[in-house]
Amino acid sequence: MTTLKSKLKEDLTTAMKARDELTSSTLRLTLTAITKEEVSGKTARELSDDEVQKVIAKEAKKRREAAEAFAQGGRTEQAEREKAEGEILDAYLPKQLSDDELNAIVASAVEEARAAGAEGPRAMGAVMKIVNPKVAGRADGGRVAASVKKLLAG
């Protein structure tokens, strides 16, 4: 079992003993998503820590999007719960890049792409190929794309 998955299970046990319903339900759903990912496909396999992290990031993103949807629908109580679940999951993810750090990485990638001959808005794909491995898991794809578009247009 991967270290991240075992940490999730240990934290679930701790939350259950402390009768922390929010944390235990969030971790249960996340562990279920991890198990579902492990058995999807033709053969069952164990996920690596990186793959587990991607599943956690996907679950955290679902919580953020649901919180926004509930807030727009006027269901503030449910929105607060989704937001709290997202914060619990964020604790298991690497620290997110600040806007300045992200812009610095994107700026160097834009220069690298321009040196390779990519210019203007059409260089978006080339720049994203350079940036994505550098920021994997530490910045939301939407934030990265917005930063790239801004620098390419700028």
Side-chain angles (χ1 to χ4, degrees), residues 5 29-41 44-45 47 55 59 62:
K5 186 177 175 184
L29 286 169
T30 305
L31 284 165
T32 301
I34 291 168
T35 304
K36 185 178 177 185
E37 189 69 29
E38 286 177 334
V39 297
S40 68
R45 62 191 176 89
L47 299 180
V55 172
E59 290 296 310
K62 283 182 192 175

mmCIF file of all heavy atoms in Angstrom, residues 5 29-41 44-45 47 55 59 62:
data_model
loop_
_atom_site.group_PDB
_atom_site.id
_atom_site.type_symbol
_atom_site.label_atom_id
_atom_site.label_comp_id
_atom_site.label_asym_id
_atom_site.label_seq_id
_atom_site.Cartn_x
_atom_site.Cartn_y
_atom_site.Cartn_z
ATOM 1 N N LYS A 5 -1.870 6.592 0.658
ATOM 2 C CA LYS A 5 -3.116 5.861 0.885
ATOM 3 C C LYS A 5 -3.173 5.347 2.323
ATOM 4 O O LYS A 5 -4.224 5.428 2.974
ATOM 5 C CB LYS A 5 -3.230 4.698 -0.105
ATOM 6 C CG LYS A 5 -4.553 3.973 -0.027
ATOM 7 C CD LYS A 5 -4.656 2.892 -1.073
ATOM 8 C CE LYS A 5 -5.924 2.094 -0.913
ATOM 9 N NZ LYS A 5 -5.978 0.979 -1.859
ATOM 10 N N LEU A 29 -15.113 8.829 1.258
ATOM 11 C CA LEU A 29 -15.412 9.067 -0.159
ATOM 12 C C LEU A 29 -14.133 9.088 -0.997
ATOM 13 O O LEU A 29 -14.098 8.567 -2.110
ATOM 14 C CB LEU A 29 -16.166 10.386 -0.326
ATOM 15 C CG LEU A 29 -17.626 10.380 0.109
ATOM 16 C CD1 LEU A 29 -18.182 11.802 0.148
ATOM 17 C CD2 LEU A 29 -18.454 9.516 -0.822
ATOM 18 N N THR A 30 -13.086 9.686 -0.457
ATOM 19 C CA THR A 30 -11.819 9.767 -1.178
ATOM 20 C C THR A 30 -11.191 8.384 -1.333
ATOM 21 O O THR A 30 -10.708 8.030 -2.419
ATOM 22 C CB THR A 30 -10.854 10.725 -0.457
ATOM 23 O OG1 THR A 30 -11.501 11.988 -0.311
ATOM 24 C CG2 THR A 30 -9.570 10.904 -1.241
ATOM 25 N N LEU A 31 -11.197 7.591 -0.263
ATOM 26 C CA LEU A 31 -10.649 6.232 -0.352
ATOM 27 C C LEU A 31 -11.460 5.375 -1.319
ATOM 28 O O LEU A 31 -10.908 4.549 -2.039
ATOM 29 C CB LEU A 31 -10.601 5.588 1.036
ATOM 30 C CG LEU A 31 -9.471 6.100 1.925
ATOM 31 C CD1 LEU A 31 -9.690 5.703 3.378
ATOM 32 C CD2 LEU A 31 -8.128 5.600 1.427
ATOM 33 N N THR A 32 -12.758 5.600 -1.378
ATOM 34 C CA THR A 32 -13.606 4.890 -2.334
ATOM 35 C C THR A 32 -13.229 5.272 -3.763
ATOM 36 O O THR A 32 -13.146 4.414 -4.646
ATOM 37 C CB THR A 32 -15.089 5.199 -2.079
ATOM 38 O OG1 THR A 32 -15.418 4.811 -0.744
ATOM 39 C CG2 THR A 32 -15.984 4.472 -3.064
ATOM 40 N N ALA A 33 -12.974 6.574 -3.997
ATOM 41 C CA ALA A 33 -12.564 7.025 -5.330
ATOM 42 C C ALA A 33 -11.218 6.410 -5.714
ATOM 43 O O ALA A 33 -11.007 6.033 -6.873
ATOM 44 C CB ALA A 33 -12.479 8.544 -5.363
ATOM 45 N N ILE A 34 -10.314 6.281 -4.744
ATOM 46 C CA ILE A 34 -9.002 5.674 -5.008
ATOM 47 C C ILE A 34 -9.188 4.202 -5.363
ATOM 48 O O ILE A 34 -8.614 3.712 -6.342
ATOM 49 C CB ILE A 34 -8.071 5.849 -3.789
ATOM 50 C CG1 ILE A 34 -7.701 7.326 -3.630
ATOM 51 C CG2 ILE A 34 -6.814 4.992 -3.933
ATOM 52 C CD1 ILE A 34 -7.040 7.666 -2.309
ATOM 53 N N THR A 35 -9.994 3.485 -4.590
ATOM 54 C CA THR A 35 -10.248 2.070 -4.857
ATOM 55 C C THR A 35 -10.899 1.894 -6.226
ATOM 56 O O THR A 35 -10.540 0.986 -6.984
ATOM 57 C CB THR A 35 -11.148 1.467 -3.759
ATOM 58 O OG1 THR A 35 -10.521 1.684 -2.493
ATOM 59 C CG2 THR A 35 -11.362 -0.016 -3.973
ATOM 60 N N LYS A 36 -11.840 2.754 -6.547
ATOM 61 C CA LYS A 36 -12.517 2.686 -7.849
ATOM 62 C C LYS A 36 -11.504 2.860 -8.980
ATOM 63 O O LYS A 36 -11.567 2.154 -9.992
ATOM 64 C CB LYS A 36 -13.589 3.775 -7.915
ATOM 65 C CG LYS A 36 -14.431 3.741 -9.147
ATOM 66 C CD LYS A 36 -15.497 4.818 -9.108
ATOM 67 C CE LYS A 36 -16.302 4.850 -10.378
ATOM 68 N NZ LYS A 36 -17.249 5.953 -10.391
ATOM 69 N N GLU A 37 -10.567 3.782 -8.802
ATOM 70 C CA GLU A 37 -9.524 4.001 -9.809
ATOM 71 C C GLU A 37 -8.614 2.782 -9.920
ATOM 72 O O GLU A 37 -8.176 2.421 -11.011
ATOM 73 C CB GLU A 37 -8.712 5.252 -9.436
ATOM 74 C CG GLU A 37 -7.754 5.718 -10.491
ATOM 75 C CD GLU A 37 -8.418 6.281 -11.739
ATOM 76 O OE1 GLU A 37 -9.539 6.820 -11.648
ATOM 77 O OE2 GLU A 37 -7.798 6.179 -12.818
ATOM 78 N N GLU A 38 -8.343 2.124 -8.780
ATOM 79 C CA GLU A 38 -7.464 0.951 -8.781
ATOM 80 C C GLU A 38 -8.084 -0.227 -9.534
ATOM 81 O O GLU A 38 -7.362 -0.985 -10.184
ATOM 82 C CB GLU A 38 -7.149 0.516 -7.344
ATOM 83 C CG GLU A 38 -6.188 1.435 -6.641
ATOM 84 C CD GLU A 38 -5.943 1.049 -5.192
ATOM 85 O OE1 GLU A 38 -6.804 0.414 -4.564
ATOM 86 O OE2 GLU A 38 -4.864 1.402 -4.686
ATOM 87 N N VAL A 39 -9.393 -0.378 -9.451
ATOM 88 C CA VAL A 39 -10.020 -1.536 -10.094
ATOM 89 C C VAL A 39 -10.558 -1.224 -11.481
ATOM 90 O O VAL A 39 -11.081 -2.112 -12.157
ATOM 91 C CB VAL A 39 -11.152 -2.140 -9.221
ATOM 92 C CG1 VAL A 39 -10.594 -2.651 -7.915
ATOM 93 C CG2 VAL A 39 -12.260 -1.156 -9.004
ATOM 94 N N SER A 40 -10.450 0.034 -11.913
ATOM 95 C CA SER A 40 -10.909 0.357 -13.265
ATOM 96 C C SER A 40 -9.918 -0.203 -14.275
ATOM 97 O O SER A 40 -8.746 -0.401 -13.986
ATOM 98 C CB SER A 40 -11.055 1.867 -13.436
ATOM 99 O OG SER A 40 -9.796 2.483 -13.399
ATOM 100 N N GLY A 41 -10.373 -0.472 -15.441
ATOM 101 C CA GLY A 41 -9.501 -1.042 -16.464
ATOM 102 C C GLY A 41 -9.615 -2.560 -16.476
ATOM 103 O O GLY A 41 -10.488 -3.144 -15.846
ATOM 104 N N ALA A 44 -6.847 -5.166 -11.930
ATOM 105 C CA ALA A 44 -6.725 -4.354 -10.719
ATOM 106 C C ALA A 44 -5.241 -4.083 -10.473
ATOM 107 O O ALA A 44 -4.391 -4.927 -10.750
ATOM 108 C CB ALA A 44 -7.330 -5.082 -9.532
ATOM 109 N N ARG A 45 -4.943 -2.894 -9.982
ATOM 110 C CA ARG A 45 -3.556 -2.542 -9.701
ATOM 111 C C ARG A 45 -3.533 -1.576 -8.535
ATOM 112 O O ARG A 45 -4.554 -1.006 -8.171
ATOM 113 C CB ARG A 45 -2.908 -1.899 -10.922
ATOM 114 C CG ARG A 45 -3.584 -0.592 -11.325
ATOM 115 C CD ARG A 45 -3.116 -0.106 -12.680
ATOM 116 N NE ARG A 45 -3.844 1.082 -13.069
ATOM 117 C CZ ARG A 45 -3.476 2.327 -12.763
ATOM 118 N NH1 ARG A 45 -2.375 2.542 -12.087
ATOM 119 N NH2 ARG A 45 -4.194 3.356 -13.138
ATOM 120 N N LEU A 47 -2.302 1.937 -6.997
ATOM 121 C CA LEU A 47 -1.876 3.246 -7.489
ATOM 122 C C LEU A 47 -0.609 3.705 -6.778
ATOM 123 O O LEU A 47 -0.432 3.440 -5.598
ATOM 124 C CB LEU A 47 -2.984 4.281 -7.262
ATOM 125 C CG LEU A 47 -4.325 4.034 -7.942
ATOM 126 C CD1 LEU A 47 -5.295 5.156 -7.597
ATOM 127 C CD2 LEU A 47 -4.169 3.940 -9.436
ATOM 128 N N VAL A 55 -5.946 11.622 -7.784
ATOM 129 C CA VAL A 55 -7.326 11.306 -7.414
ATOM 130 C C VAL A 55 -7.790 12.284 -6.328
ATOM 131 O O VAL A 55 -8.905 12.815 -6.398
ATOM 132 C CB VAL A 55 -7.454 9.842 -6.924
ATOM 133 C CG1 VAL A 55 -8.838 9.576 -6.352
ATOM 134 C CG2 VAL A 55 -7.157 8.876 -8.057
ATOM 135 N N GLU A 59 -10.853 14.973 -6.524
ATOM 136 C CA GLU A 59 -11.921 15.035 -5.522
ATOM 137 C C GLU A 59 -12.022 16.439 -4.920
ATOM 138 O O GLU A 59 -13.119 16.953 -4.710
ATOM 139 C CB GLU A 59 -11.677 13.998 -4.415
ATOM 140 C CG GLU A 59 -11.862 12.566 -4.868
ATOM 141 C CD GLU A 59 -13.281 12.246 -5.285
ATOM 142 O OE1 GLU A 59 -14.210 12.551 -4.522
ATOM 143 O OE2 GLU A 59 -13.465 11.696 -6.389
ATOM 144 N N LYS A 62 -13.739 18.688 -7.353
ATOM 145 C CA LYS A 62 -15.184 18.444 -7.344
ATOM 146 C C LYS A 62 -15.837 19.209 -6.199
ATOM 147 O O LYS A 62 -16.915 19.777 -6.358
ATOM 148 C CB LYS A 62 -15.483 16.951 -7.157
ATOM 149 C CG LYS A 62 -15.298 16.100 -8.370
ATOM 150 C CD LYS A 62 -15.684 14.670 -8.016
ATOM 151 C CE LYS A 62 -15.262 13.690 -9.070
ATOM 152 N NZ LYS A 62 -15.537 12.302 -8.655
#
